[in-house]
Amino acid sequence: RSNNQSLPEDIFTMMMMSRPCSASWALGIFVWACQMSLCFLIMIELGHEAGIVGSFLSGYNWLTRPDATVYIGQFISIIFVTLAQGDMFSSVRTIQWLRKNTRWDIILLGKEENDDPPSTWDWILHILIPNVLKFIQGFAVFFVSFFIIMTRSNLLDLIKDFTSLMIVSELDNIAFDFTAYGYLGESLYLKTVDAQDIEIDDIAQRQGGRFIFRKLWAWVLLGLTLAIWCYFFTVYLLKLNGWRI
């Protein structure tokens, strides 16, 4: 049975299939800039709202105000915000699958086996840069989401803000779907069609490294964020029992 897998259907896959300075790259950079700008503006708003700089200096007093229901909501949200960051996970997986010493140009660019292999610079432009941008965007959304989760003192606000931020993470997928309808021209539409037809075969997946190493960093990320949450939840319980901290 075939275990072929597809690349993500998003703007970054279109960038991988196109040359720099093309329409696909212009669209991808524009969408990425919008996502990063929104993350930056949200962080500024959080700084004004919660006094993040002052809170760092005063020992995160603003993180100990919620009650038990909010902490439970934070715990659940942290798990789901980690699972929802498909952009981080898929970017690492794609780089592992389409490594520099593979014939990724056959898969993405339609080259033939007897064509000259791609150079390192070609790999950087087509594989590394789009996926690094994708990872940065995914991590930015994750970082801002984590701050939102940890700074809410009301469960309803926590869920509302956390859910709203997921839209920022999905902008690249939304832009891809919009392009796939043909609203941005035929050339970009054809790129979306090609992107949906790309498959990574079993051999390329096995060459991408052992599965345990591909998922280990995700568990480390989840463990670190939950460890931070456990610290503040422990502080909350100690204060609840009369301890002075």
Side-chain angles (χ1 to χ4, degrees):
R1 186 167 61 91
S2 174
N3 290 321
N4 290 0
Q5 296 194 38
S6 301
L7 289 179
E9 296 178 4
D10 57 27
I11 293 297
F12 299 101
T13 298
M14 293 173 60
M15 292 175 64
M16 292 167 57
M17 300 171 60
S18 308
R19 68 183 187 280
C21 301
S22 64
S24 296
W25 271 70
L27 178 61
I29 294 297
F30 173 75
V31 173
W32 182 82
C34 290
Q35 291 175 303
M36 295 302 297
S37 297
L38 287 173
C39 288
F40 180 72
L41 292 173
I42 291 172
M43 282 301 299
I44 293 177
E45 183 68 22
L46 283 174
H48 292 159
E49 177 185 302
I52 289 177
V53 175
S55 300
F56 269 85
L57 299 176
S58 60
Y60 293 104
N61 290 333
W62 51 283
L63 290 173
T64 59
R65 291 182 297 182
D67 57 23
T69 59
V70 176
Y71 278 106
I72 295 173
Q74 289 175 344
F75 177 81
I76 296 173
S77 297
I78 287 172
I79 294 175
F80 279 96
V81 76
T82 304
L83 297 178
Q85 298 312 312
D87 286 341
M88 287 199 300
F89 302 146
S90 63
S91 60
V92 173
R93 184 185 62 176
T94 300
I95 291 175
Q96 290 179 318
W97 281 349
L98 306 177
R99 298 194 316 278
K100 183 173 60 176
N101 58 346
T102 63
R103 288 305 303 270
W104 56 266
D105 57 323
I106 297 176
I107 299 174
L108 293 180
L109 306 180
K111 296 293 184 66
E112 301 293 338
E113 285 280 357
N114 55 356
D115 290 336
D116 292 335
S119 64
T120 299
W121 180 242
D122 289 331
W123 180 81
I124 291 173
L125 290 176
H126 286 276
I127 306 298
L128 186 62
I129 292 179
N131 283 287
V132 167
L133 293 177
K134 186 176 183 178
F135 182 88
I136 292 173
Q137 172 267 126
F139 184 79
V141 172
F142 173 80
F143 183 80
V144 175
S145 298
F146 180 72
F147 259 90
I148 286 178
I149 289 170
M150 296 301 293
T151 55
R152 299 301 92 177
S153 58
N154 178 278
L155 183 58
L156 182 60
D157 289 340
L158 187 157
I159 296 174
K160 180 179 61 178
D161 294 343
F162 162 69
T163 305
S164 300
L165 194 59
M166 290 300 98
I167 298 177
V168 178
S169 180
E170 290 295 317
L171 283 181
D172 53 309
N173 304 94
I174 294 172
F176 181 91
D177 292 338
F178 184 80
T179 306
Y181 292 135
Y183 293 126
L184 297 182
E186 184 179 3
S187 61
L188 287 173
Y189 164 75
L190 293 176
K191 282 295 181 182
T192 64
V193 174
D194 293 339
Q196 296 174 50
D197 293 336
I198 294 177
E199 288 190 342
I200 308 297
D201 59 26
D202 296 344
I203 296 176
Q205 293 179 47
R206 288 195 296 269
Q207 289 176 344
R210 296 180 60 184
F211 183 74
I212 183 64
F213 295 112
R214 295 208 303 268
K215 67 178 183 179
L216 179 61
W217 74 272
W219 287 106
V220 170
L221 181 65
L222 177 61
L224 287 174
T225 52
L226 288 178
I228 295 173
W229 174 87
C230 286
Y231 168 78
F232 292 111
F233 186 58
T234 301
V235 170
Y236 165 78
L237 291 178
L238 293 175
K239 286 190 173 183
L240 198 63
N241 287 276
W243 288 64
R244 289 188 176 182
I245 298 177

